[in-house]
Amino acid sequence: MAALDTILGPDGPLAAVLGDAFESRPEQIAMSRAVWNTLETRSHLLVEAGTGIGKSFAYLVPAILRAIHHGETVLVATNTIALQEQLISRDIPLLASILDPSPDGDADPHDHNPEAARALRPVLVKGRGNYVSIRRLRLASQRQERLLADPASRRSLHVIEDWATDTLDGTLSTLPPIERPGVWDKVQSDSGNCMGRKCPEYQSCFYQNARRAMDGANLLVCNHALFFSDLALRSQDVGFLPAYSHVVLDEAHGVEDAASDHFGISLSEGRVMHLLTTLYHPRTARGYLPQLALSAGDAQTIDRAIRVTLDAMEATRAFFESLAELARRGANDRHDRPFPARGPGGAPGSASARIRSPGAVTNTLTQAMNALTIRLRAMREGGASDQDQYELNAYAIRASQIADDAATLADQALPGYAYWVETGTSGDEAAFQKVTYSCSPVEVAPLLKERLFSREHSVVLTSATLATRSVRGDESTESSETAFSHTIARLGCEGARALQLGSPFDHARQAELVIDLTPPARDDEGESPSHAEHLADRIIHHVRETDGGAFVLFTSFATLNAVARSLRGALESAGHPVLAQGLDGSRPSILERFRADERSVLLGAASFWQGVDVRGRGLRNVIITKLPFDPPDRPLTEARTELMRSRGQDPFREEALPRAIMKFKQGFGRLIRSRTDHGKVVVLDPRIVTARYGAMFLRSLPEGLKVTRVGADE
């Protein structure tokens, strides 16, 4: 077996397979060596790998070699579905085909035990709720007239039934769109109602087959959400992922937020009401409990359960209405300025309020949900059929978890956490999250240090943006590690090696940074137009400069919506279709339409700053409307600021600025995705040159980049 350098080198097996599509990159080889050493020594590594390095091959080659020649299990977690699918369907099969595990091959100098070679067994790991339960699907079909509230729900069930006869993996990823997504809840695999080996479908169960494959795998691929959910559960000894020797966290710039989400608690009104209306829907008198009356024959017991369910609905309304009032008061205190509860940009129309002390809301919910839990468990023990015992058990578990979450949130039982309420969400999940009460750790570093970085496995974190500045070639190793200091501190991985590898792309030739300092125009009376109108005017100018093919990135949906109204007519009349996130369809649909028309313009916030790959002429202009600082009154940001000040730290320099720089780098990185791409990045925020900290944003960009100022005297 060839050494790492040969595998990724110009004359290696990978080059032979890919032919003209292959390009040997020194940066890729350097990263692969660093990853190998990290796995070998069970240490920790942060790698900022510039776009075009080929970082997935750089960590997959060492990972596969460890799996097939050392009997170790490697877990790779990514943030996006697209990257997971790329790894499992393209990258891993290709590399597996050339990294022959046969002991008859040439000896690898990195291989300590060549005769132990074994087959690679990669598996894409998905959460249990992604799998359909054939038994539950059949049960729902038999009971649909009393179980499902309306014709649309029954039509959705029929779509699932038709799909289930043809699907190969039984997961949501291949399910066609359905009118009532909530129907999936009644047919998904669920640990609470799993019959295990007693299930008549056990041998053909999609989830059980996936579980067996996972337990036998030596290369696991999953998403950040699943990984950190498992990491949080492991503290209670109930993790579901198998043991692993090494962890690779790709797209690691999102690790802090993902960990914060999954170490926290979120309780939405939609989550509670979905459970309760599944049990009994007052308007239609349908649901699980009414259909159970037909088979159980004990109308009195069912009536009591329905009354307890209705009481729980009243308690739910009172609980969340009190929370909504707190949010409204908090918004008024901030002059009705909406801001997101999680992540810059948030959902349009969302508003949040920090809840600083326990008991701010009367907890009517815990007692009501505990009463429902007791009632459901009594029914389970009262002679229900085998299948209904499992269904009742699952509903009781969910009711009990809601009761516990409500108590934890209302009592603020987790020290070191920030608590807040969000209301008025109108994004993709609006139907399910009208009011949400949440908490997250103010710092994830202590939790990650204890649960991730203090274990025996190695950890590799890689992304195109982990450092706050670009280290030049003549700078020392210490300078490189300083560039990673914010990430290291926020994640609790002190002592990790830091490696920064620039992109192989020639940004000096392929890209230009344009800083637009054009002042707002004034009307005849000397008044300036609104900020949105000024932005729209400059965006129209720069879109015309490149004849479209533009991403316009915003930090808030409110500004995005206002600008969309101002510029849509002018651009569309000139033949530039305008696609605005939240206004013109889902994120995947507007991205697909953008790719289909080279003259189109896409206005995006939040998720469009990262994880979007448009190559070629389709994207030749990225317009950044504002430097992406988190809103200072976002509850979690506010809590972090207060904690840092209490320690004598500077929250702006040590938290807000580094986070903004890394997101700025993500936005900049949308432009050049291949060696043939060309274009410009336009910044409409003058602070990048007028503020003292502006130079730090510029310092984070690739060396040699051409910078042009327009609209103001030099």
Side-chain angles (χ1 to χ4, degrees):
M1 183 179 296
L4 285 173
D5 293 15
T6 303
I7 294 170
L8 296 170
D11 301 315
L14 187 58
V17 170
L18 293 178
D20 293 339
F22 178 79
E23 182 180 349
S24 180
R25 305 178 183 103
E27 299 93 347
Q28 185 182 60
I29 293 173
M31 177 175 170
S32 192
R33 289 174 183 161
V35 172
W36 173 270
N37 289 334
T38 300
L39 306 189
E40 176 79 5
T41 59
R42 298 291 180 104
S43 55
H44 306 140
L45 172 70
L46 289 85
V47 185
E48 181 173 273
T51 306
I53 281 179
K55 59 184 169 61
S56 61
F57 279 16
Y59 63 69
L60 284 175
V61 169
I64 291 172
L65 294 177
R66 299 302 301 189
I68 64 180
H69 287 278
H70 293 260
E72 297 168 348
T73 298
V74 183
L75 183 145
V76 177
T78 77
N79 190 45
T80 60
I81 293 173
L83 183 52
Q84 292 162 47
E85 292 176 345
Q86 172 190 313
L87 295 179
I88 207 72
S89 64
R90 191 186 74 187
D91 295 354
I92 293 173
L94 174 63
L95 291 173
S97 71
I98 64 173
L99 299 177
D100 183 8
S102 168
D104 297 329
D106 295 333
D108 184 345
H110 296 293
D111 195 343
H112 294 180
N113 190 12
E115 64 274 10
R118 58 189 57 102
L120 182 70
R121 298 183 300 277
V123 167
L124 178 60
V125 183
K126 299 183 179 182
R128 185 167 193 157
N130 284 275
Y131 292 88
V132 66
S133 165
I134 299 300
R135 177 187 65 80
R136 295 194 73 210
L137 176 60
R138 185 176 294 116
L139 186 65
S141 180
Q142 294 167 356
R143 299 175 172 182
Q144 60 183 283
E145 289 302 321
R146 297 287 290 174
L147 185 65
L148 301 177
D150 56 23
S153 295
R154 292 188 283 277
R155 288 194 299 270
S156 297
L157 179 66
H158 298 157
V159 171
I160 297 173
E161 289 177 301
D162 293 341
W163 161 80
T165 62
D166 298 323
T167 179
L168 298 178
D169 67 353
T171 71
L172 274 170
S173 62
T174 59
L175 178 67
I178 56 178
E179 295 175 79
R180 295 286 189 266
V183 172
W184 179 259
D185 178 70
K186 298 170 178 59
V187 302
Q188 70 181 10
S189 181
D190 187 323
S191 60
N193 57 34
C194 178
M195 298 179 71
R197 295 183 181 275
K198 294 181 181 179
C199 179
E201 305 293 340
Y202 179 76
Q203 293 301 324
S204 59
C205 174
F206 289 111
Y207 172 73
Q208 295 296 345
N209 287 335
R211 180 79 206 189
R212 286 188 283 271
M214 179 178 71
D215 289 339
N218 52 15
L219 181 57
L220 307 166
V221 179
C222 68
N223 62 22
H224 286 177
L226 187 71
F227 176 74
F228 287 108
S229 178
D230 175 78
L231 203 63
L233 289 171
R234 282 174 182 250
S235 64
Q236 307 166 33
D237 296 322
V238 288
F240 46 85
L241 289 172
Y244 41 79
S245 311
H246 313 285
V247 177
V248 178
L249 297 174
D250 201 344
E251 301 177 312
H253 56 274
V255 161
E256 182 182 8
D257 288 340
S260 181
D261 281 348
H262 291 279
F263 288 139
I265 295 173
S266 184
L267 182 61
S268 70
E269 183 180 17
R271 170 186 162 193
V272 182
M273 291 303 293
H274 180 71
L275 170 61
L276 297 176
T277 55
T278 295
L279 293 171
Y280 179 73
H281 200 294
R283 182 174 56 81
T284 63
R286 283 186 167 93
Y288 176 74
L289 293 175
Q291 68 78 28
L292 186 61
L294 298 178
S295 58
D298 186 353
Q300 188 175 18
T301 298
I302 302 301
D303 285 344
R304 284 197 296 267
I306 289 174
R307 286 197 296 272
V308 173
T309 303
L310 292 172
D311 290 343
M313 289 181 183
E314 287 301 315
T316 299
R317 292 188 186 98
F319 182 72
F320 284 100
E321 283 175 4
S322 297
L323 288 169
E325 178 58 29
L326 288 176
R328 284 190 291 271
R329 291 208 304 265
N332 288 335
D333 291 343
R334 295 184 305 275
H335 308 290
D336 294 313
R337 289 181 291 136
F339 62 92
R342 292 178 185 272
S350 65
S352 302
R354 179 109 171 264
I355 299 181
R356 293 179 173 274
S357 58
V361 60
T362 302
N363 182 10
T364 57
L365 191 55
T366 293
Q367 183 177 354
M369 297 306 290
N370 278 334
L372 180 59
T373 302
I374 292 169
R375 178 61 55 186
L376 294 172
R377 286 173 176 167
M379 293 172 65
R380 182 191 64 188
E381 303 299 330
S385 68
D386 283 351
Q387 294 211 70
D388 283 317
Q389 285 183 25
Y390 285 98
E391 291 292 311
L392 286 164
N393 181 63
Y395 290 133
I397 290 173
R398 289 164 65 182
S400 178
Q401 185 62 60
I402 289 170
D404 291 346
D405 287 351
T408 299
L409 290 163
D411 297 340
Q412 299 199 356
L414 298 173
Y417 278 56
Y419 296 77
W420 71 90
V421 58
E422 178 185 7
T423 185
T425 302
S426 58
D428 293 340
E429 299 182 355
F432 305 101
Q433 292 188 342
K434 291 169 60 178
V435 183
T436 306
Y437 194 5
S438 303
C439 73
S440 285
V442 178
E443 291 183 299
V444 298
L447 294 169
L448 291 178
K449 185 173 184 177
E450 174 192 355
R451 302 183 191 183
L452 179 61
F453 296 109
S454 296
R455 306 300 180 180
E456 293 184 357
H457 51 250
S458 63
V459 182
V460 175
L461 301 102
T462 183
S463 169
T465 50
L466 288 176
T468 55
R469 63 191 183 91
S470 178
V471 177
R472 309 311 184 192
D474 59 347
E475 293 187 83
S476 65
T477 301
E478 290 75 13
S479 297
S480 177
E481 292 175 353
T482 300
F484 287 82
S485 59
H486 175 262
T487 298
I488 291 171
R490 297 306 303 171
L491 299 184
C493 53
E494 290 82 1
R497 182 188 174 196
L499 176 65
Q500 188 178 56
L501 298 168
S503 171
F505 300 151
D506 186 356
H507 283 86
R509 180 182 59 84
Q510 294 178 255
E512 176 186 8
L513 178 69
V514 177
I515 301 172
D516 190 335
L517 301 173
T518 304
R522 298 191 177 267
D523 61 23
D524 292 339
E525 298 180 359
E527 295 295 327
S528 298
S530 71
H531 177 62
E533 290 173 351
H534 173 63
L535 285 180
D537 178 67
R538 300 314 301 158
I539 290 166
I540 291 170
H541 170 80
H542 289 289
V543 166
R544 288 172 176 165
E545 288 278 303
T546 58
D547 194 32
F551 263 14
V552 187
L553 301 178
F554 295 83
T555 60
S556 82
F557 278 98
T559 305
L560 185 156
N561 293 341
V563 169
R565 288 192 296 269
S566 294
L567 59 66
R568 189 183 293 273
L571 288 181
E572 291 187 343
S573 65
H576 298 293
V578 175
L579 304 165
Q581 184 180 5
L583 298 177
D584 297 309
S586 67
R587 182 180 184 274
S589 69
I590 64 173
L591 185 57
E592 182 178 352
R593 290 159 62 192
F594 177 80
R595 288 190 173 115
D597 190 330
E598 288 188 354
R599 303 189 74 231
S600 59
V601 179
L602 190 151
L603 279 58
S607 58
F608 276 99
W609 285 77
Q610 57 185 314
V612 180
D613 194 350
V614 180
R615 301 190 180 199
R617 181 169 167 76
L619 179 59
R620 51 197 180 273
N621 189 355
V622 173
I623 302 174
I624 295 174
T625 59
K626 189 177 182 181
L627 297 180
F629 287 98
D630 286 348
D633 44 8
R634 172 192 177 205
L636 197 51
T637 301
E638 191 176 65
R640 287 172 178 165
T641 297
E642 291 171 0
L643 179 63
M644 295 182 75
R645 282 178 177 157
S646 72
R647 296 172 173 171
Q649 297 173 292
D650 183 341
F652 179 78
R653 289 285 175 181
E654 298 180 47
E655 174 65 9
L657 183 58
R659 287 176 67 90
I661 289 171
M662 285 193 284
K663 187 171 181 183
F664 176 75
K665 289 171 63 179
Q666 284 286 332
F668 179 91
R670 296 313 94 214
L671 182 66
I672 304 299
R673 310 301 297 178
S674 74
R675 288 188 181 274
T676 58
D677 288 352
H678 292 82
K680 63 179 181 178
V681 174
V682 179
V683 178
L684 301 180
D685 190 335
R687 291 178 297 175
I688 198 168
V689 292
T690 61
R692 285 188 298 175
Y693 56 77
M696 297 184 67
F697 285 89
L698 297 175
R699 189 75 171 78
S700 72
L701 298 177
E703 191 171 7
L705 180 69
K706 179 182 178 182
V707 180
T708 303
R709 299 188 189 190
V710 298
D713 294 334
E714 292 293 323

